[in-house]
Amino acid sequence: WKEAFVVAPLLSARGDSYRLGEQLTRLVARAPDVVEQWLTRQLTLNPQGTLYRLPKQTQASLSRLPAAHRDRLVRGVGVKARRADLLSYLLGDDLAWLGQLLDDGVVDVAAIPFGLDHSEREVPDRITGILALAPVLVPRGIRPEELARAAELGGWMGERSANYEAIRAAFATTPISADPRVEAVRLAGVDIFERGRDAALSAERDRRVVGDL
């Protein structure tokens, strides 16, 4: 059964992959070797499309793989630019591992803020995750402003000014941190998105004047 599962196909994005996702999610805890072998094969067959076609429940469960399995998966990806994408599913809150990958040159520090997937996270959760990265990324060369700007990555509805205000407020209401690296990112976020909000409000007013909004 394990040999058959390892070569199980990943259906297209429009296919019914629910059952496959349920199986993979259970196997993460019960047989992580099988998940590692299956995902390694899929990444070899289709390095660009595999991650985006994974069942949703599988995407959410991969960070629960044992550390050794996650490490082999990331290091096994041949194209360096793809490793940050895979890491977005595998990292979870394992920041010590992220630091080791960066120090070993497995992934580039500049790719981390924009490789991690924020699209389905609410703004406060997005900000919490970004600030958690500061002690790892800032000492390794990411400027606080660069990391703070990653908060814009994610879905939103309505006017741009309202989105920027939500991000600004999330940074502003986060408690002051005793860690200067975290605090630098927090303050950068308040400043960047306050200015972005004001510029967006001005543009929206102009559009209302001419009837475009």
Side-chain angles (χ1 to χ4, degrees), residues 26 43 51 54 76 86 105 144 178:
R26 285 193 289 269
L43 290 168
L51 295 177
L54 285 174
L86 177 57

Side-chain angles (χ1 to χ4, degrees), residues 21 59 72 107 111 126 153 158 171 175-176 184 194:
Q59 294 176 3
R72 284 193 296 268
V107 289
R126 199 186 307 166
L153 302 177
F171 276 116
I176 295 173
E194 181 176 304

